[in-house]
PDB file of all heavy atoms in Angstrom:
ATOM      1  N   ARG A 179       3.326  -1.627   4.944  1.00  0.00           N
ATOM      2  CA  ARG A 179       3.458  -2.883   5.769  1.00  0.00           C
ATOM      3  C   ARG A 179       2.260  -3.723   5.700  1.00  0.00           C
ATOM      4  O   ARG A 179       2.098  -4.688   6.470  1.00  0.00           O
ATOM      5  CB  ARG A 179       3.746  -2.507   7.197  1.00  0.00           C
ATOM      6  CG  ARG A 179       5.094  -1.946   7.331  1.00  0.00           C
ATOM      7  CD  ARG A 179       5.524  -1.772   8.786  1.00  0.00           C
ATOM      8  NE  ARG A 179       6.950  -1.591   8.805  1.00  0.00           N
ATOM      9  CZ  ARG A 179       7.606  -1.293   9.879  1.00  0.00           C
ATOM     10  NH1 ARG A 179       6.984  -1.212  11.028  1.00  0.00           N
ATOM     11  NH2 ARG A 179       8.922  -1.110   9.857  1.00  0.00           N
ATOM     12  N   GLU A 180       1.326  -3.385   4.868  1.00  0.00           N
ATOM     13  CA  GLU A 180       0.091  -4.137   4.713  1.00  0.00           C
ATOM     14  C   GLU A 180      -0.249  -4.119   3.180  1.00  0.00           C
ATOM     15  O   GLU A 180       0.464  -3.509   2.427  1.00  0.00           O
ATOM     16  CB  GLU A 180      -1.054  -3.575   5.561  1.00  0.00           C
ATOM     17  CG  GLU A 180      -1.247  -2.124   5.238  1.00  0.00           C
ATOM     18  CD  GLU A 180      -2.134  -1.388   6.205  1.00  0.00           C
ATOM     19  OE1 GLU A 180      -2.815  -2.017   7.027  1.00  0.00           O
ATOM     20  OE2 GLU A 180      -2.134  -0.148   6.157  1.00  0.00           O
ATOM     21  N   GLY A 181      -1.323  -4.758   2.839  1.00  0.00           N
ATOM     22  CA  GLY A 181      -1.654  -4.744   1.412  1.00  0.00           C
ATOM     23  C   GLY A 181      -3.121  -4.958   1.196  1.00  0.00           C
ATOM     24  O   GLY A 181      -3.600  -5.994   0.699  1.00  0.00           O
ATOM     25  N   LYS A 182      -3.855  -3.921   1.530  1.00  0.00           N
ATOM     26  CA  LYS A 182      -5.302  -4.012   1.277  1.00  0.00           C
ATOM     27  C   LYS A 182      -5.565  -3.819  -0.212  1.00  0.00           C
ATOM     28  O   LYS A 182      -4.712  -3.235  -0.957  1.00  0.00           O
ATOM     29  CB  LYS A 182      -6.054  -2.959   2.081  1.00  0.00           C
ATOM     30  CG  LYS A 182      -5.884  -3.127   3.583  1.00  0.00           C
ATOM     31  CD  LYS A 182      -6.819  -4.217   4.072  1.00  0.00           C
ATOM     32  CE  LYS A 182      -6.965  -4.262   5.575  1.00  0.00           C
ATOM     33  NZ  LYS A 182      -5.756  -4.295   6.335  1.00  0.00           N
ATOM     34  N   PHE A 183      -6.727  -4.225  -0.660  1.00  0.00           N
ATOM     35  CA  PHE A 183      -7.113  -4.092  -2.051  1.00  0.00           C
ATOM     36  C   PHE A 183      -6.884  -2.706  -2.602  1.00  0.00           C
ATOM     37  O   PHE A 183      -7.415  -1.752  -2.033  1.00  0.00           O
ATOM     38  CB  PHE A 183      -8.583  -4.514  -2.135  1.00  0.00           C
ATOM     39  CG  PHE A 183      -9.082  -4.776  -3.513  1.00  0.00           C
ATOM     40  CD1 PHE A 183      -8.420  -5.701  -4.314  1.00  0.00           C
ATOM     41  CD2 PHE A 183     -10.228  -4.147  -3.991  1.00  0.00           C
ATOM     42  CE1 PHE A 183      -8.861  -5.963  -5.616  1.00  0.00           C
ATOM     43  CE2 PHE A 183     -10.655  -4.440  -5.294  1.00  0.00           C
ATOM     44  CZ  PHE A 183      -9.994  -5.308  -6.096  1.00  0.00           C
ATOM     45  N   HIS A 184      -6.172  -2.572  -3.688  1.00  0.00           N
ATOM     46  CA  HIS A 184      -5.898  -1.245  -4.308  1.00  0.00           C
ATOM     47  C   HIS A 184      -5.319  -0.198  -3.405  1.00  0.00           C
ATOM     48  O   HIS A 184      -5.541   0.972  -3.521  1.00  0.00           O
ATOM     49  CB  HIS A 184      -7.198  -0.649  -4.937  1.00  0.00           C
ATOM     50  CG  HIS A 184      -7.808  -1.473  -6.013  1.00  0.00           C
ATOM     51  ND1 HIS A 184      -7.104  -2.240  -6.917  1.00  0.00           N
ATOM     52  CD2 HIS A 184      -9.149  -1.614  -6.339  1.00  0.00           C
ATOM     53  CE1 HIS A 184      -7.977  -2.813  -7.721  1.00  0.00           C
ATOM     54  NE2 HIS A 184      -9.173  -2.446  -7.421  1.00  0.00           N
ATOM     55  N   GLN A 185      -4.547  -0.651  -2.390  1.00  0.00           N
ATOM     56  CA  GLN A 185      -4.169   0.301  -1.338  1.00  0.00           C
ATOM     57  C   GLN A 185      -3.355   1.508  -1.855  1.00  0.00           C
ATOM     58  O   GLN A 185      -3.685   2.621  -1.444  1.00  0.00           O
ATOM     59  CB  GLN A 185      -3.417  -0.450  -0.245  1.00  0.00           C
ATOM     60  CG  GLN A 185      -3.123   0.507   0.903  1.00  0.00           C
ATOM     61  CD  GLN A 185      -2.749  -0.174   2.198  1.00  0.00           C
ATOM     62  OE1 GLN A 185      -2.985  -1.391   2.302  1.00  0.00           O
ATOM     63  NE2 GLN A 185      -2.177   0.549   3.120  1.00  0.00           N
ATOM     64  N   VAL A 186      -2.332   1.265  -2.633  1.00  0.00           N
ATOM     65  CA  VAL A 186      -1.482   2.353  -3.065  1.00  0.00           C
ATOM     66  C   VAL A 186      -2.333   3.354  -3.869  1.00  0.00           C
ATOM     67  O   VAL A 186      -2.250   4.577  -3.694  1.00  0.00           O
ATOM     68  CB  VAL A 186      -0.266   1.848  -3.905  1.00  0.00           C
ATOM     69  CG1 VAL A 186       0.546   3.051  -4.475  1.00  0.00           C
ATOM     70  CG2 VAL A 186       0.612   1.006  -2.979  1.00  0.00           C
ATOM     71  N   LYS A 187      -3.127   2.802  -4.814  1.00  0.00           N
ATOM     72  CA  LYS A 187      -3.959   3.655  -5.664  1.00  0.00           C
ATOM     73  C   LYS A 187      -4.906   4.484  -4.821  1.00  0.00           C
ATOM     74  O   LYS A 187      -5.144   5.649  -5.047  1.00  0.00           O
ATOM     75  CB  LYS A 187      -4.719   2.774  -6.652  1.00  0.00           C
ATOM     76  CG  LYS A 187      -3.820   2.148  -7.691  1.00  0.00           C
ATOM     77  CD  LYS A 187      -4.538   1.174  -8.582  1.00  0.00           C
ATOM     78  CE  LYS A 187      -3.619   0.411  -9.480  1.00  0.00           C
ATOM     79  NZ  LYS A 187      -4.254  -0.724 -10.083  1.00  0.00           N
ATOM     80  N   ARG A 188      -5.553   3.787  -3.821  1.00  0.00           N
ATOM     81  CA  ARG A 188      -6.502   4.525  -2.977  1.00  0.00           C
ATOM     82  C   ARG A 188      -5.861   5.591  -2.136  1.00  0.00           C
ATOM     83  O   ARG A 188      -6.423   6.626  -1.850  1.00  0.00           O
ATOM     84  CB  ARG A 188      -7.267   3.478  -2.098  1.00  0.00           C
ATOM     85  CG  ARG A 188      -8.181   2.636  -2.896  1.00  0.00           C
ATOM     86  CD  ARG A 188      -8.793   1.562  -2.096  1.00  0.00           C
ATOM     87  NE  ARG A 188      -9.815   2.084  -1.166  1.00  0.00           N
ATOM     88  CZ  ARG A 188     -10.364   1.333  -0.195  1.00  0.00           C
ATOM     89  NH1 ARG A 188     -10.023   0.101  -0.017  1.00  0.00           N
ATOM     90  NH2 ARG A 188     -11.284   1.922   0.625  1.00  0.00           N
ATOM     91  N   MET A 189      -4.612   5.325  -1.660  1.00  0.00           N
ATOM     92  CA  MET A 189      -3.919   6.325  -0.835  1.00  0.00           C
ATOM     93  C   MET A 189      -3.593   7.568  -1.665  1.00  0.00           C
ATOM     94  O   MET A 189      -3.760   8.713  -1.207  1.00  0.00           O
ATOM     95  CB  MET A 189      -2.675   5.726  -0.256  1.00  0.00           C
ATOM     96  CG  MET A 189      -3.017   4.732   0.874  1.00  0.00           C
ATOM     97  SD  MET A 189      -1.636   3.829   1.512  1.00  0.00           S
ATOM     98  CE  MET A 189      -0.980   4.969   2.712  1.00  0.00           C
ATOM     99  N   PHE A 190      -3.174   7.379  -2.891  1.00  0.00           N
ATOM    100  CA  PHE A 190      -2.906   8.555  -3.735  1.00  0.00           C
ATOM    101  C   PHE A 190      -4.181   9.304  -4.136  1.00  0.00           C
ATOM    102  O   PHE A 190      -4.218  10.509  -4.305  1.00  0.00           O
ATOM    103  CB  PHE A 190      -2.107   8.144  -5.024  1.00  0.00           C
ATOM    104  CG  PHE A 190      -0.645   8.052  -4.750  1.00  0.00           C
ATOM    105  CD1 PHE A 190       0.038   6.841  -4.779  1.00  0.00           C
ATOM    106  CD2 PHE A 190       0.097   9.195  -4.484  1.00  0.00           C
ATOM    107  CE1 PHE A 190       1.386   6.715  -4.559  1.00  0.00           C
ATOM    108  CE2 PHE A 190       1.520   9.133  -4.269  1.00  0.00           C
ATOM    109  CZ  PHE A 190       2.127   7.868  -4.272  1.00  0.00           C
ATOM    110  N   GLU A 191      -5.249   8.546  -4.316  1.00  0.00           N
ATOM    111  CA  GLU A 191      -6.528   9.156  -4.594  1.00  0.00           C
ATOM    112  C   GLU A 191      -6.925  10.168  -3.519  1.00  0.00           C
ATOM    113  O   GLU A 191      -7.430  11.221  -3.809  1.00  0.00           O
ATOM    114  CB  GLU A 191      -7.594   8.030  -4.637  1.00  0.00           C
ATOM    115  CG  GLU A 191      -8.430   8.036  -5.900  1.00  0.00           C
ATOM    116  CD  GLU A 191      -9.204   6.725  -5.945  1.00  0.00           C
ATOM    117  OE1 GLU A 191     -10.063   6.490  -5.054  1.00  0.00           O
ATOM    118  OE2 GLU A 191      -8.930   5.906  -6.841  1.00  0.00           O
ATOM    119  N   LYS A 192      -6.643   9.776  -2.256  1.00  0.00           N
ATOM    120  CA  LYS A 192      -6.947  10.659  -1.103  1.00  0.00           C
ATOM    121  C   LYS A 192      -6.066  11.958  -1.216  1.00  0.00           C
ATOM    122  O   LYS A 192      -6.438  12.966  -0.603  1.00  0.00           O
ATOM    123  CB  LYS A 192      -6.588   9.968   0.195  1.00  0.00           C
ATOM    124  CG  LYS A 192      -7.649   8.950   0.594  1.00  0.00           C
ATOM    125  CD  LYS A 192      -8.770   9.590   1.302  1.00  0.00           C
ATOM    126  CE  LYS A 192      -9.787   8.458   1.802  1.00  0.00           C
ATOM    127  NZ  LYS A 192     -10.987   9.021   2.422  1.00  0.00           N
ATOM    128  N   CYS A 193      -4.970  11.893  -1.946  1.00  0.00           N
ATOM    129  CA  CYS A 193      -4.134  13.086  -2.114  1.00  0.00           C
ATOM    130  C   CYS A 193      -4.543  13.796  -3.461  1.00  0.00           C
ATOM    131  O   CYS A 193      -3.777  14.748  -3.866  1.00  0.00           O
ATOM    132  CB  CYS A 193      -2.664  12.736  -2.124  1.00  0.00           C
ATOM    133  SG  CYS A 193      -2.076  11.825  -0.742  1.00  0.00           S
ATOM    134  N   GLY A 194      -5.533  13.305  -4.140  1.00  0.00           N
ATOM    135  CA  GLY A 194      -5.978  13.969  -5.383  1.00  0.00           C
ATOM    136  C   GLY A 194      -5.162  13.575  -6.626  1.00  0.00           C
ATOM    137  O   GLY A 194      -5.094  14.302  -7.607  1.00  0.00           O
ATOM    138  N   LYS A 195      -4.462  12.436  -6.517  1.00  0.00           N
ATOM    139  CA  LYS A 195      -3.648  11.997  -7.651  1.00  0.00           C
ATOM    140  C   LYS A 195      -4.056  10.585  -8.141  1.00  0.00           C
ATOM    141  O   LYS A 195      -4.501   9.828  -7.274  1.00  0.00           O
ATOM    142  CB  LYS A 195      -2.117  11.947  -7.288  1.00  0.00           C
ATOM    143  CG  LYS A 195      -1.509  13.300  -7.345  1.00  0.00           C
ATOM    144  CD  LYS A 195      -1.056  13.731  -5.947  1.00  0.00           C
ATOM    145  CE  LYS A 195      -0.815  15.259  -5.909  1.00  0.00           C
ATOM    146  NZ  LYS A 195      -0.994  15.743  -4.515  1.00  0.00           N
ATOM    147  N   LYS A 196      -3.742  10.361  -9.345  1.00  0.00           N
ATOM    148  CA  LYS A 196      -4.148   9.039  -9.920  1.00  0.00           C
ATOM    149  C   LYS A 196      -2.835   8.244 -10.230  1.00  0.00           C
ATOM    150  O   LYS A 196      -1.902   8.856 -10.817  1.00  0.00           O
ATOM    151  CB  LYS A 196      -4.933   9.252 -11.178  1.00  0.00           C
ATOM    152  CG  LYS A 196      -5.575   7.989 -11.749  1.00  0.00           C
ATOM    153  CD  LYS A 196      -6.510   8.411 -12.866  1.00  0.00           C
ATOM    154  CE  LYS A 196      -7.120   7.303 -13.653  1.00  0.00           C
ATOM    155  NZ  LYS A 196      -6.623   6.032 -13.806  1.00  0.00           N
ATOM    156  N   VAL A 197      -2.800   7.028  -9.814  1.00  0.00           N
ATOM    157  CA  VAL A 197      -1.622   6.171 -10.156  1.00  0.00           C
ATOM    158  C   VAL A 197      -1.822   5.678 -11.599  1.00  0.00           C
ATOM    159  O   VAL A 197      -2.811   5.027 -11.905  1.00  0.00           O
ATOM    160  CB  VAL A 197      -1.561   4.975  -9.179  1.00  0.00           C
ATOM    161  CG1 VAL A 197      -0.421   3.994  -9.633  1.00  0.00           C
ATOM    162  CG2 VAL A 197      -1.281   5.444  -7.768  1.00  0.00           C
ATOM    163  N   VAL A 198      -0.867   6.035 -12.464  1.00  0.00           N
ATOM    164  CA  VAL A 198      -0.996   5.584 -13.851  1.00  0.00           C
ATOM    165  C   VAL A 198      -0.102   4.302 -14.134  1.00  0.00           C
ATOM    166  O   VAL A 198      -0.354   3.624 -15.109  1.00  0.00           O
ATOM    167  CB  VAL A 198      -0.671   6.715 -14.850  1.00  0.00           C
ATOM    168  CG1 VAL A 198      -1.691   7.802 -14.781  1.00  0.00           C
ATOM    169  CG2 VAL A 198       0.741   7.281 -14.637  1.00  0.00           C
ATOM    170  N   ALA A 199       0.870   4.089 -13.281  1.00  0.00           N
ATOM    171  CA  ALA A 199       1.625   2.810 -13.396  1.00  0.00           C
ATOM    172  C   ALA A 199       2.151   2.463 -12.000  1.00  0.00           C
ATOM    173  O   ALA A 199       2.523   3.327 -11.221  1.00  0.00           O
ATOM    174  CB  ALA A 199       2.794   2.992 -14.309  1.00  0.00           C
ATOM    175  N   LEU A 200       2.137   1.154 -11.691  1.00  0.00           N
ATOM    176  CA  LEU A 200       2.582   0.727 -10.351  1.00  0.00           C
ATOM    177  C   LEU A 200       3.368  -0.529 -10.511  1.00  0.00           C
ATOM    178  O   LEU A 200       3.026  -1.455 -11.234  1.00  0.00           O
ATOM    179  CB  LEU A 200       1.298   0.430  -9.503  1.00  0.00           C
ATOM    180  CG  LEU A 200       1.594   0.152  -8.002  1.00  0.00           C
ATOM    181  CD1 LEU A 200       2.257   1.365  -7.352  1.00  0.00           C
ATOM    182  CD2 LEU A 200       0.218  -0.149  -7.329  1.00  0.00           C
ATOM    183  N   ARG A 201       4.541  -0.542  -9.784  1.00  0.00           N
ATOM    184  CA  ARG A 201       5.426  -1.698  -9.830  1.00  0.00           C
ATOM    185  C   ARG A 201       5.916  -1.994  -8.476  1.00  0.00           C
ATOM    186  O   ARG A 201       6.385  -1.130  -7.764  1.00  0.00           O
ATOM    187  CB  ARG A 201       6.574  -1.313 -10.802  1.00  0.00           C
ATOM    188  CG  ARG A 201       7.594  -2.447 -10.998  1.00  0.00           C
ATOM    189  CD  ARG A 201       8.569  -2.132 -12.146  1.00  0.00           C
ATOM    190  NE  ARG A 201       9.613  -3.132 -12.204  1.00  0.00           N
ATOM    191  CZ  ARG A 201       9.459  -4.309 -12.734  1.00  0.00           C
ATOM    192  NH1 ARG A 201       8.266  -4.667 -13.287  1.00  0.00           N
ATOM    193  NH2 ARG A 201      10.464  -5.162 -12.787  1.00  0.00           N
ATOM    194  N   ARG A 202       5.808  -3.281  -8.059  1.00  0.00           N
ATOM    195  CA  ARG A 202       6.378  -3.632  -6.745  1.00  0.00           C
ATOM    196  C   ARG A 202       7.880  -3.997  -6.927  1.00  0.00           C
ATOM    197  O   ARG A 202       8.273  -4.804  -7.806  1.00  0.00           O
ATOM    198  CB  ARG A 202       5.631  -4.839  -6.136  1.00  0.00           C
ATOM    199  CG  ARG A 202       6.129  -5.127  -4.719  1.00  0.00           C
ATOM    200  CD  ARG A 202       5.090  -5.806  -3.841  1.00  0.00           C
ATOM    201  NE  ARG A 202       4.690  -7.075  -4.359  1.00  0.00           N
ATOM    202  CZ  ARG A 202       3.604  -7.713  -3.961  1.00  0.00           C
ATOM    203  NH1 ARG A 202       2.811  -7.217  -3.035  1.00  0.00           N
ATOM    204  NH2 ARG A 202       3.281  -8.880  -4.498  1.00  0.00           N
ATOM    205  N   ILE A 203       8.648  -3.336  -6.073  1.00  0.00           N
ATOM    206  CA  ILE A 203      10.117  -3.482  -6.126  1.00  0.00           C
ATOM    207  C   ILE A 203      10.667  -4.556  -5.208  1.00  0.00           C
ATOM    208  O   ILE A 203      11.552  -5.310  -5.506  1.00  0.00           O
ATOM    209  CB  ILE A 203      10.809  -2.139  -5.775  1.00  0.00           C
ATOM    210  CG1 ILE A 203      10.222  -0.981  -6.670  1.00  0.00           C
ATOM    211  CG2 ILE A 203      12.295  -2.202  -5.871  1.00  0.00           C
ATOM    212  CD1 ILE A 203      10.614  -1.114  -8.154  1.00  0.00           C
ATOM    213  N   SER A 204      10.108  -4.531  -3.996  1.00  0.00           N
ATOM    214  CA  SER A 204      10.643  -5.519  -3.020  1.00  0.00           C
ATOM    215  C   SER A 204       9.635  -5.902  -1.944  1.00  0.00           C
ATOM    216  O   SER A 204       8.663  -5.163  -1.703  1.00  0.00           O
ATOM    217  CB  SER A 204      11.925  -4.931  -2.348  1.00  0.00           C
ATOM    218  OG  SER A 204      11.638  -3.753  -1.655  1.00  0.00           O
ATOM    219  N   ILE A 205       9.880  -7.057  -1.307  1.00  0.00           N
ATOM    220  CA  ILE A 205       9.158  -7.491  -0.169  1.00  0.00           C
ATOM    221  C   ILE A 205      10.257  -7.830   0.847  1.00  0.00           C
ATOM    222  O   ILE A 205      11.133  -8.747   0.556  1.00  0.00           O
ATOM    223  CB  ILE A 205       8.292  -8.755  -0.459  1.00  0.00           C
ATOM    224  CG1 ILE A 205       7.219  -8.371  -1.489  1.00  0.00           C
ATOM    225  CG2 ILE A 205       7.657  -9.301   0.822  1.00  0.00           C
ATOM    226  CD1 ILE A 205       6.318  -9.564  -1.864  1.00  0.00           C
ATOM    227  N   GLY A 206      10.329  -7.186   1.994  1.00  0.00           N
ATOM    228  CA  GLY A 206      11.410  -7.392   2.895  1.00  0.00           C
ATOM    229  C   GLY A 206      12.731  -7.115   2.206  1.00  0.00           C
ATOM    230  O   GLY A 206      12.837  -6.092   1.509  1.00  0.00           O
ATOM    231  N   GLU A 207      13.660  -8.004   2.336  1.00  0.00           N
ATOM    232  CA  GLU A 207      14.974  -7.802   1.692  1.00  0.00           C
ATOM    233  C   GLU A 207      15.061  -8.350   0.297  1.00  0.00           C
ATOM    234  O   GLU A 207      16.064  -8.292  -0.381  1.00  0.00           O
ATOM    235  CB  GLU A 207      16.043  -8.455   2.527  1.00  0.00           C
ATOM    236  CG  GLU A 207      16.373  -7.687   3.793  1.00  0.00           C
ATOM    237  CD  GLU A 207      17.407  -8.429   4.649  1.00  0.00           C
ATOM    238  OE1 GLU A 207      18.160  -9.287   4.113  1.00  0.00           O
ATOM    239  OE2 GLU A 207      17.479  -8.096   5.836  1.00  0.00           O
ATOM    240  N   VAL A 208      13.972  -8.978  -0.153  1.00  0.00           N
ATOM    241  CA  VAL A 208      13.978  -9.584  -1.527  1.00  0.00           C
ATOM    242  C   VAL A 208      13.540  -8.559  -2.553  1.00  0.00           C
ATOM    243  O   VAL A 208      12.396  -8.065  -2.539  1.00  0.00           O
ATOM    244  CB  VAL A 208      13.086 -10.831  -1.533  1.00  0.00           C
ATOM    245  CG1 VAL A 208      13.030 -11.421  -2.958  1.00  0.00           C
ATOM    246  CG2 VAL A 208      13.542 -11.868  -0.563  1.00  0.00           C
ATOM    247  N   GLU A 209      14.445  -8.267  -3.471  1.00  0.00           N
ATOM    248  CA  GLU A 209      14.204  -7.296  -4.509  1.00  0.00           C
ATOM    249  C   GLU A 209      13.931  -8.007  -5.868  1.00  0.00           C
ATOM    250  O   GLU A 209      14.523  -9.099  -6.099  1.00  0.00           O
ATOM    251  CB  GLU A 209      15.417  -6.445  -4.741  1.00  0.00           C
ATOM    252  CG  GLU A 209      15.333  -5.076  -4.076  1.00  0.00           C
ATOM    253  CD  GLU A 209      16.565  -4.271  -4.344  1.00  0.00           C
ATOM    254  OE1 GLU A 209      16.911  -4.086  -5.535  1.00  0.00           O
ATOM    255  OE2 GLU A 209      17.119  -3.751  -3.380  1.00  0.00           O
TER     256      GLU A 209
END
Side-chain angles (χ1 to χ4, degrees):
R179 288 190 164 174
E180 56 192 344
K182 298 280 194 308
F183 194 52
H184 297 328
Q185 185 162 344
V186 174
K187 293 173 186 167
R188 291 175 70 189
M189 289 173 83
F190 277 111
E191 234 167 63
K192 285 274 184 185
C193 304
K195 280 116 199 151
K196 191 171 172 335
V197 173
V198 292
L200 188 61
R201 182 167 173 79
R202 185 153 62 196
I203 305 295
S204 62
I205 297 179
E207 286 178 19
V208 177
E209 259 183 52

